[in-house]
Amino acid sequence: IQKSGNDVERKVAVSSLLAEAEMMKKLDHPALPRIVDIIDRDESVCIVLDYVTGESLDRLLKRQKSFPEDQVMNWFLQLAEVLEYLHRQNPPIIYRDMKPGNIMQTPEGFLKLIDFGIAREYKYKNQTDTIALGTNGYAAPEQYGHAQTDPRSDIYSLGITIFELLTGISPGKDPYQYQYHPIRKIRPEILESTETILNRCLAFAPDQRYPDCRALIFDLRHPERTISSVRRKQKRRTAFFYL
């Protein structure tokens, strides 16, 4: 990217690229591309990353329309694990742009998360983000400037990404359409545990979502416990109501 000129968009792009590089230099995870080199000259800056072979999930989705549940749930776990790694950094790194177009599948079947252009380090004292960024439909409600994004914002974006991979329905036109069309109404064969996990990821209020990716990963690895827990809570609420 050229540094010269007064073009605001160019300056923002350079700033974003350098911020991305600084964050990624600290990271070491198989699902994240490594920075090979940073070439910073007077007139331009260039960041050299690992070359990721494969195809993005949005391109695969255009051909296949949707994917089998077992394949998507494997991806769900892989992506939750890489987000958990990012959130464990000090300070936590909030990715903020989870979507099929930013996920690459390698020829070996593993996923790589790319494009850290709007990722940010979590600032514990901030009440809201300085700049509201994200992709329409995939961004959590608070990502539009109502509150500071945190790990639960990434969990929301991951949930809507998984919803799209299972249904082939893009959230771009109607970001909250899943609330009116539960996933098992669209695909009745989907397991109840999958729907339960997605519903929690996609709660409108952050405090109703998973508190962190560790809790999400536990449910993904133990889906039968997820259903048992939900049913116990329902029974307690019913008993309280009749009391």
Side-chain angles (χ1 to χ4, degrees), residues 1 12-28 32-40 45-50 86 93 114-121:
I1 294 181
V12 169
V14 170
S15 176
S16 176
L17 191 65
L18 290 174
E20 176 181 350
E22 287 301 318
M23 279 193 293
M24 292 193 67
K25 281 198 306 187
K26 303 182 297 184
L27 305 178
D28 183 15
L32 300 173
R34 294 178 303 109
I35 287 184
V36 178
D37 196 7
I38 301 176
I39 304 170
D40 191 354
V45 59
C46 178
I47 296 177
V48 184
L49 299 173
D50 278 339
L86 292 173
I93 294 175
I114 61 173
D115 194 351
F116 275 66
I118 67 168
R120 64 186 293 275
E121 293 180 336

Side-chain angles (χ1 to χ4, degrees), residues 157-168:
S157 297
L158 175 56
I160 201 66
T161 295
I162 296 301
F163 181 91
E164 181 179 7
L165 295 173
L166 285 169
T167 65

Side-chain angles (χ1 to χ4, degrees), residues 6-171:
N6 296 318
D7 185 87
V8 174
E9 290 185 2
R10 183 182 293 111
K11 290 182 178 179
V12 169
V14 170
S15 176
S16 176
L17 191 65
L18 290 174
E20 176 181 350
E22 287 301 318
M23 279 193 293
M24 292 193 67
K25 281 198 306 187
K26 303 182 297 184
L27 305 178
D28 183 15
H29 191 281
L32 300 173
R34 294 178 303 109
I35 287 184
V36 178
D37 196 7
I38 301 176
I39 304 170
D40 191 354
R41 296 173 178 169
D42 292 338
E43 296 297 323
S44 63
V45 59
C46 178
I47 296 177
V48 184
L49 299 173
D50 278 339
Y51 178 71
V52 179
T53 59
E55 197 168 11
S56 63
L57 294 191
D58 66 333
R59 293 188 64 181
L60 291 173
L61 189 60
K62 287 177 182 178
R63 291 203 305 270
Q64 297 190 212
K65 307 304 180 185
S66 65
F67 298 98
E69 182 178 10
D70 58 346
Q71 181 179 19
V72 175
M73 296 309 286
N74 177 273
W75 289 344
F76 203 170
L77 182 59
Q78 287 187 55
L79 293 168
E81 287 175 342
V82 68
L83 287 179
E84 199 270 336
Y85 171 79
L86 292 173
H87 298 164
R88 275 193 286 110
Q89 301 307 303
N90 186 21
I93 294 175
I94 314 302
Y95 180 63
R96 297 204 301 171
D97 203 22
M98 180 68 71
K99 58 184 178 181
N102 283 345
I103 306 165
M104 297 285 289
Q105 184 183 36
T106 68
E108 296 76 26
F110 298 108
L111 299 185
K112 292 271 190 179
L113 196 59
I114 61 173
D115 194 351
F116 275 66
I118 67 168
R120 64 186 293 275
E121 293 180 336
Y122 183 73
K123 298 178 177 61
Y124 290 99
K125 294 182 180 180
N126 283 18
Q127 297 299 313
T128 62
D129 288 344
T130 305
I131 301 174
L133 291 170
T135 302
N136 184 46
Y138 300 94
E142 64 272 15
Q143 211 160 322
Y144 294 95
H146 301 297
Q148 184 181 192
T149 50
D150 64 21
R152 297 169 299 178
S153 308
D154 278 345
I155 288 173
Y156 178 98
S157 297
L158 175 56
I160 201 66
T161 295
I162 296 301
F163 181 91
E164 181 179 7
L165 295 173
L166 285 169
T167 65
I169 299 173
S170 171

Side-chain angles (χ1 to χ4, degrees), residues 175-191:
Y176 308 117
Q177 55 86 32
Y178 68 88
Q179 295 184 1
Y180 311 105
H181 301 285
I183 193 166
R184 293 210 298 162
K185 181 179 178 182
I186 301 168
R187 288 187 61 180
E189 75 277 13
I190 293 292
L191 294 175

